[in-house]
Amino acid sequence: MKSIEVDEELYRYIASQTQHIGESASDILRRLLMVPEQSEQQPEVVMPVRPKGIVVSKDAGNVTKMDRVKEMRSLLISDEFAVQEKAIGRFMMILSSLYRIDPKGFTEAAAIKGRTRIYFAESKETLLASGKTTKPKAIPETPFWVITNTNTDRKRQMVEQLMGKMNFGADIIDKVCGEI
């Protein structure tokens, strides 16, 4: 995989041309430049396109702390995130991104819970057993479920606790929680 640097304006344009979730930067550019598909499968950067200097490998478990922050910032400025009209959509995208960035850290941090309810579990049934009105939903592209019958402030607290346990800095935690 080769990496290129693009300015912010070009990055935003490429990201705005995404036609479906998971479309790679190579696919977008190939479509825009009308270049035919390659015959052999190459590892590719998955959308959203990362701005200047961020290289993401298929092994997201090796993402450095600085890259983790950049990944979260990229999510917050992505068009996909911007079109989410409800807090639940933004909440689910944030959780999915946190898992993608650091599956092991997410799994360890997901042990957080409230006074009486479990927030995260690997099954819907576990969450249903922790309360009558948990309204569990599967977190996209993860093996986890999360309770969603909470107000926006509680969702922010859950993300704050999760990111804290995943060793994110206070600045990025505040930024992410402020966007829910």
Side-chain angles (χ1 to χ4, degrees):
M1 173 173 64
K2 303 284 184 189
S3 63
I4 59 172
E5 290 188 11
V6 297
D7 62 42
E8 190 69 24
E9 182 182 354
L10 182 56
Y11 157 72
R12 288 183 184 276
Y13 176 77
I14 294 169
S16 74
Q17 299 301 307
T18 304
Q19 290 184 342
H20 58 83
I21 296 171
E23 184 175 25
S24 71
S26 294
D27 289 343
I28 293 168
L29 291 171
R30 191 173 285 116
R31 180 172 32 80
L32 293 174
L33 299 171
M34 294 186 269
V35 176
E37 291 281 330
Q38 288 181 329
S39 59
E40 60 183 69
Q41 197 75 325
Q42 299 268 335
E44 296 178 334
V45 176
V46 175
M47 285 305 296
V49 175
R50 275 57 176 188
K52 223 186 226 184
I54 301 174
V55 177
V56 179
S57 70
K58 290 251 183 198
D59 182 9
N62 292 330
V63 176
T64 66
K65 281 192 178 204
M66 195 58 170
D67 287 343
R68 292 172 0 133
V69 170
K70 288 179 181 180
E71 286 284 318
M72 291 309 295
R73 289 189 186 278
S74 291
L75 170 69
L76 299 179
I77 63 170
S78 72
D79 290 339
E80 183 184 357
F81 190 80
V83 300
Q84 298 297 318
E85 294 180 5
K86 296 185 178 182
I88 185 66
R90 294 185 297 273
F91 176 65
M92 296 300 275
M93 285 185 72
I94 289 166
L95 294 177
S96 186
S97 292
L98 288 170
Y99 181 84
R100 181 180 42 76
I101 290 168
D102 184 3
K104 184 178 181 218
F106 185 99
T107 301
E108 291 169 4
I112 62 172
K113 55 186 171 183
R115 198 169 30 93
T116 59
R117 294 197 290 187
I118 298 171
Y119 294 152
F120 301 96
E122 291 188 11
S123 75
K124 180 180 184 177
E125 292 73 27
T126 303
L127 294 178
L128 288 171
S130 78
K132 292 179 184 174
T133 58
T134 57
K135 208 171 175 189
K137 286 192 178 187
I139 302 170
E141 300 175 26
T142 78
F144 286 94
W145 288 73
V146 63
I147 63 169
T148 61
N149 192 21
T150 58
N151 63 30
T152 302
D153 284 337
R154 176 66 63 199
K155 287 177 179 67
R156 286 184 184 120
Q157 288 174 352
M158 291 164 63
V159 169
E160 180 180 13
Q161 289 176 15
L162 186 67
M163 290 181 75
K165 294 240 182 225
M166 291 176 72
N167 297 314
F168 279 89
D171 289 347
I172 190 64
I173 292 173
D174 289 345
K175 180 76 174 154
V176 169
C177 291
E179 295 294 327
I180 294 176

